[in-house]
């Protein structure tokens, strides 16, 4: 920004008319990263409209002035500004913002703490491990959820115990479900007990996520739990369990998978056929032959490919 325009912006921010101050912020948005201290100043304006435009302008700004201004606005009296500050924090992708956010996390409370964690999530700061683990015990579910997400992004073995505990004891289904998904980075054998617990969760979406994650990690000890999941009352859980069992190439699952070929949901029948094909057990040939007459064309196609592979 030319010096003359900086002087003009500073002068405009001193004008008594809030509309002039607000418009000045909007017009100078292209220079926010070079002069974030001026936008930080505007974020403290007495007029909510000016503060809102300043917070929006600071989206993604990793400077100390910008990050601190956004964290300060998480406590704004205006709900729209608080929400905008939280959204702007999430858009910061520069690791340089990490140390500032970690410092501010120490004093943050309530939803502000959740927003700071959300800002840290994609930055993958090694220093965020212990603070995120500490936040797993926060009374607010939104804070625990963001802490789980930070740990999932860090992909650190030191997070496994904390994530496992959330699956076992957290009272919020969304937190448990996120913890299950976050274990997708872990050592398969280390994560398997927690994921098998997730397969028995009261929330069906958590059970579904557990089946998906087991299908990524493929621990051998998961076969029995996944076979049981083929009897889940929700077909979505059954489908993900079938996919995982196919990846595991588990012959023990063949009878239970054949049982899915009479289910009302075509997508489930198709994935059961695909799993049987992946396992490659010829005991499934009669059932697959019968599936050639299925009412769903995609099931018939999959059955034909499966039989060709087993020929």
């Amino acid at each position: 920004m030319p010096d003359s325009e900086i002087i003009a912006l500073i002068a405009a921010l001193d004008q008594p008319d809030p509309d002039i101050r607000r418009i000045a912020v909007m017009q100078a948005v292209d220079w926010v990263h070079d002069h974030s201290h001026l936008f930080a100043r505007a974020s403290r304006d007495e007029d909510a409209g000016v503060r809102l435009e300043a917070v929006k302008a600071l989206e993604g700004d990793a400077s100390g002035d910008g990050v601190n201004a956004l964290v300060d606005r998480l406590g704004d009296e205006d709900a729209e500004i608080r929400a905008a500050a939280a959204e702007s924090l999430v858009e910061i992708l520069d690791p340089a913002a990490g140390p500032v956010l970690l410092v501010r996390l120490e004093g943050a409370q309530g939803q502000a703490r959740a927003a700071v964690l959300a800002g840290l999530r994609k930055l993958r700061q090694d220093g965020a491990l212990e603070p995120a683990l500490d936040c797993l015990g926060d009374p607010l579910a939104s804070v625990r959820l963001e802490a789980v997400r930070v740990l999932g992004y860090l992909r650190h073995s030191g997070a496994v115990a904390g994530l496992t505990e959330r699956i076992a004891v957290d009272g919020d289904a969304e937190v448990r479900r996120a913890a299950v998904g976050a274990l997708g980075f872990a050592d398969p054998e280390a994560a398997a007990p927690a994921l098998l617990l997730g397969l028995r969760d009261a929330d069906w979406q958590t059970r579904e996520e557990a089946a998906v994650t087991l299908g990524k990690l493929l621990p051998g000890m998961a076969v029995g739990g996944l076979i049981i999941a083929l009897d889940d009352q929700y077909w979505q859980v059954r489908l993900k369990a079938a996919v995982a069992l196919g990846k595991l190439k588990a012959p023990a699952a063949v009878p239970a998978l054949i049982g899915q070929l009479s289910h009302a949901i075509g997508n489930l029948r198709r994935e059961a056929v695909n799993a049987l094909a992946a396992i490659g057990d010829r005991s499934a040939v009669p059932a697959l032959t019968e599936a050639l007459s299925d009412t769903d064309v995609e099931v018939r196609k999959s059955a034909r490919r499966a039989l060709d592979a087993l020929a």
Side-chain angles (χ1 to χ4, degrees):
M1 178 187 289
D3 290 344
S4 59
E5 294 192 31
I6 297 174
I7 294 171
L9 173 59
I10 294 172
L13 292 177
D14 287 330
Q15 293 297 311
D17 187 338
D19 285 337
I20 293 177
R21 302 197 300 273
R22 179 176 57 81
I23 292 171
V25 170
M26 295 171 65
Q27 290 178 335
V29 69
D30 289 341
W31 293 282
V32 63
H33 298 300
D34 295 322
H35 303 285
S36 54
H37 65 288
L38 294 177
F39 291 83
R41 170 188 167 186
S43 74
R44 301 187 294 272
D45 196 278
E46 64 182 19
D47 182 79
V50 178
R51 297 199 304 276
L52 179 61
E53 292 303 329
V55 163
K56 290 179 178 179
L58 287 166
E59 178 181 278
D61 185 82
S63 69
D65 286 325
V67 174
N68 279 312
L70 291 174
V71 175
D72 287 342
R73 287 310 96 208
L74 294 173
D76 199 277
E77 62 186 20
D78 187 292
E80 186 178 7
I81 293 173
R82 295 197 300 272
E87 291 175 7
S88 292
L89 279 173
V90 174
E91 295 304 316
I92 299 176
L93 301 179
D94 188 339
V100 181
L101 286 169
L102 285 171
V103 169
R104 296 304 302 267
L105 180 62
E106 293 180 11
Q109 299 294 326
Q111 294 298 341
R113 175 178 264 197
V116 174
L117 284 166
L120 279 166
R121 187 193 316 153
K122 298 177 183 178
L123 301 182
R124 292 182 170 87
Q125 295 279 312
D126 289 339
L129 177 64
E130 291 301 328
L133 288 171
D134 289 342
C135 289
L136 289 178
D138 196 275
L140 275 184
S142 59
V143 174
R144 301 195 303 276
L145 177 62
E146 290 301 339
V148 165
R149 289 171 173 169
V150 169
L151 294 171
Y153 267 82
L154 286 177
R155 304 174 67 85
H156 194 291
S157 60
V160 173
L163 293 170
T164 297
E165 182 182 27
R166 284 304 97 198
I167 296 168
V169 306
D170 205 282
D172 187 272
E174 190 174 6
V175 175
R176 298 195 304 275
R177 185 161 63 250
V180 164
L183 281 174
F185 72 87
D187 173 77
E189 301 306 314
L195 295 175
L196 289 171
L197 182 62
L199 277 181
R200 302 192 299 272
D201 197 271
D203 172 63
W204 76 266
Q205 290 176 306
T206 300
R207 300 196 300 274
E208 180 185 30
E209 187 68 29
V212 169
T213 307
L214 285 167
K216 294 176 182 177
L217 297 181
L218 302 177
M221 68 177 72
V223 171
L226 289 166
I227 290 174
I228 292 173
L230 287 176
D231 285 329
D232 197 278
Q233 62 178 312
Y234 284 85
W235 67 266
Q236 296 94 330
V237 179
R238 294 187 183 204
L239 185 149
K240 300 303 182 184
V243 171
L245 287 164
K247 292 179 179 178
L248 280 162
K249 301 186 185 302
V254 169
L257 288 167
I258 289 174
Q260 305 308 306
L261 299 182
S262 60
H263 196 279
I265 300 297
N267 284 346
L268 173 55
R269 299 198 303 275
R270 184 185 72 247
E271 291 303 336
V273 166
N274 291 338
L276 289 167
I279 293 168
D281 192 314
R282 290 194 57 79
S283 66
V285 168
L288 291 170
T289 301
E290 186 175 346
L292 292 174
S293 300
D294 195 278
T295 57
D296 188 312
V297 63
E298 295 303 323
V299 175
R300 297 197 299 272
K301 288 179 181 178
S302 293
R304 170 51 59 197
R305 288 194 293 268
L307 287 167
D308 289 344
L310 288 170

